[in-house]
Amino acid sequence: MKAIQLVAHGAPGRFELRDVPDPQPGSGEAVVQVQACGLNHLDLWMEEGGLPIPIKLPRTPGSEIAGTIVAIDPRSTGSEWKVGDNVAIQSNLFCGECEFCKRGEDSMCLRGELLGVQRDGGFAEKVSVPTRALVRIPEGVDFDASAALTLAGSTAMHMLTHRTQVNPGDWVLAIGGASGVGSAAIQIAKQLGARVISTASNEAKRKLALSLGAEFVVDSNDRMWSAEVRKITNKRGVDLVVEHVGGEVLEKCFDCLARGGTVVTCGATAGREVSFNLWPFFVKQHRFIGSYGRNRADIQKTLEWAAAGKIKPVIDSIFPLDQTAAAFAKLRSRHFLGKVLVEPFEPESESD
Ligand SMILES: [Zn+2]
C-alpha cells in the first residue's frame, strides 16, 4: 500500500510517499481502509519534532481517521465488529485495563499511546488499530464529516460536557472560533443553551464564528480583546472559557472570567509556560481545568450530535495523499477556515 512517511523532522519536515507492506491485524486489532484523515496542530508538532515524547522515524502521521474495516484479527471472536463497518478511530489509544480505563476515563490511561505519533497513523491507504479504539460512524455522517470531527470536535465535547459543565444562560467564551476545537466549542455551547462569545483574527473567521452560533466575536489582534469581552457581558465576565492556545492568550482568559468562572484548556500552540496572578484567581474563586484528548463516549456523542444535525463540521480543503506535505504547509500557514483533510483515494466523481 501507499503511505506517507515522515523521514526527517523540520518545519517543513521531509515526507516521502512510499510503498510499504499492507498492515496485518495484530492481536485484538482491525485494519481500516482510510477514507479521510484530518490534520491537527499535533501533526505540526510531530513534523517539527516538538513533542515531549520520543519519536522513531520514519513514521506515518495522521490521527483523525475515518474509514472502513477491511480485516479483523481472526482470534478476536465474538467481536462487535465486522469487515465493511464504517468507523472513526480514537487517536488517544488506551489499554482498556488500567484503573482509569476501567472507569471509562480512557483519556487518562496510564499506558496511552498517540496514533500517528507513537505508531503509524492515517496518512496511508490502511492503518491497523486496536478494535477498542473503533467507534461506529452513525447513519447520515459521511467520512469527511467524521474525519473533521473525531479529534477536534470530541476534544471540545470532552471539555464542555465532561471536564466542565455548561448551564443554560451561561456565558461561554470559545477561543479561536474558526479553529477545529473553537468551531466545535461554539456549536456545543450553543446547543447547551449558553450565550457564546468567540475570538477571530480576521473578517472571514469572524463571519464563520457568527454563522456557527456565536453572538459576539472579538478581534484577537486587538490587545484589549479581553476588555471587550467584559464590556459585552456588562463587566460581569464569562462563566467558562474554552481555551486551546496557551501563552498570552491563556493569561488574558482569566481577565474574562466572572466570579466562580472556569478556564478549561486543552492545548498550548502559542506557548507552554504562562505567568499566573494568584490574587484574583482565589479572590474570585476561579477554576483552571486541564483537558486531554477524549473518551470513547465523547466521540460517540460527537458523532451522534453530527447525525442529528446539532454539530456541523467545517471543512476548509481536502488534499490527495501524495499532497500531504502541502496539507501540512497549509496548516502551518494559518490561512484556512476549519479542517484540512487528506484522502488516499480519488473521490468518486459523478461527471466521469
Ligand atoms: Zn488504560
Side-chain angles (χ1 to χ4, degrees), residues 95-96 98 101 109-110:
C95 75
C98 73
C101 283
C109 177
L110 296 172

Side-chain angles (χ1 to χ4, degrees), residues 278-299:
L278 275 174
W279 181 264
F281 180 73
F282 65 74
V283 168
K284 295 182 179 174
Q285 303 191 70
H286 290 160
R287 288 190 180 87
F288 184 29
I289 292 180
S291 189
Y292 182 67
R294 76 243 14 110
N295 298 332
R296 186 186 159 83
D298 298 308
I299 301 185

Side-chain angles (χ1 to χ4, degrees), residues 247 250-255 257 263 273-282 286-289:
L250 176 59
E251 290 170 29
K252 285 197 158 75
C253 287
F254 285 96
D255 300 335
L257 281 186
V263 174
E273 288 184 25
V274 293
S275 68
F276 194 67
N277 186 346
L278 275 174
W279 181 264
F281 180 73
F282 65 74
H286 290 160
R287 288 190 180 87
F288 184 29
I289 292 180

